[in-house]
Amino acid sequence: MTALSAVGSDVWLAAGYCLFMVALGYAIDRVARSVASASEGGSLSGFVYHEHHDAWLCPEDQWLWPQSFDPDNRIMRYRASPTVCNSCPVKDSCTSSYLGREVQRSVEAWPASEAARFYRGIACAAVVFGFIWPITVAVNGPGTTGLLVLAAAAVLAALISVPLFSHLWRSKVHMPEGMRSLTVDESLDENEEAAAAAAGRRTRYASDHRTEGKESA
């Protein structure tokens, strides 16, 4: 007790700051996770994932089946039949796409998406900054007991923060068998091409009908 009482206030403040920054990192990660969950829950309101089918069931009892896999963001894309979606009475409140409603599902634990990893990176950066003050105090020579206090705080902070850093090192994800691999850009390009083709067909058919009407007249 006597030895601890001799430890300066700067040592205790530095040790407390180190642990506080770890707590701040977890708070940032928790808030980001909650916001992401709320956003996904809103965009997928009424959609239910059935693991045994690996498919989603929409509120109108229509299935969305796996369409492609994005190896960069670790997400599986599911899409409903365009024919079904385009004739659905609630299509306007569900999707504006003529290609059918699409939903996405992460194939790994948080953080999977680039946005999630960005916020996890901020949380980890907060933890790293938490070690700067204790290191600075240690360099100034706080004494043996002071060094032990700082070392104990640093070790505890490092152990507690391991889960925050664990998902930043990605392991290789194997693409599901028989599934196409499409990045976000490739998927957007494919959707745009399909939408343009569908619009061209509608325009061409309309022109044909007008031509036929003029010929008949």
Side-chain angles (χ1 to χ4, degrees), residues 69-91:
F69 175 68
D70 184 348
D72 294 334
N73 294 304
R74 318 300 186 83
I75 56 175
M76 186 79 77
R77 298 188 183 91
Y78 301 77
R79 188 177 292 280
S81 168
T83 303
V84 172
C85 280
N86 292 335
S87 61
C88 179
V90 297
K91 177 182 184 295

Side-chain angles (χ1 to χ4, degrees), residues 107-215:
V107 297
E108 69 176 21
W110 171 275
S113 69
E114 291 302 319
R117 287 171 60 79
F118 171 77
Y119 287 107
R120 173 60 66 85
I122 294 178
C124 291
V127 174
V128 172
F129 279 117
F131 289 93
I132 295 178
W133 191 0
I135 291 175
T136 302
V137 174
V139 170
N140 292 329
T144 303
T145 306
L147 287 174
L148 290 175
V149 171
L150 292 173
V155 170
L156 180 60
L159 292 175
I160 295 175
S161 62
V162 166
L164 281 177
F165 288 89
S166 62
H167 285 150
L168 290 183
W169 287 278
R170 286 182 167 179
S171 58
K172 183 178 180 181
V173 170
H174 298 284
M175 185 175 67
E177 185 177 354
M179 186 61 55
R180 293 188 304 155
S181 175
L182 289 178
T183 64
V184 173
D185 292 337
E186 290 172 341
S187 179
L188 290 175
D189 289 342
E190 183 180 81
N191 290 344
E192 290 177 358
E193 290 174 1
R201 285 195 297 271
R202 290 193 299 273
T203 302
R204 185 166 59 253
Y205 295 155
S207 300
D208 293 342
H209 290 315
R210 286 197 296 270
T211 301
E212 291 175 358
K214 290 180 180 179
E215 291 175 352

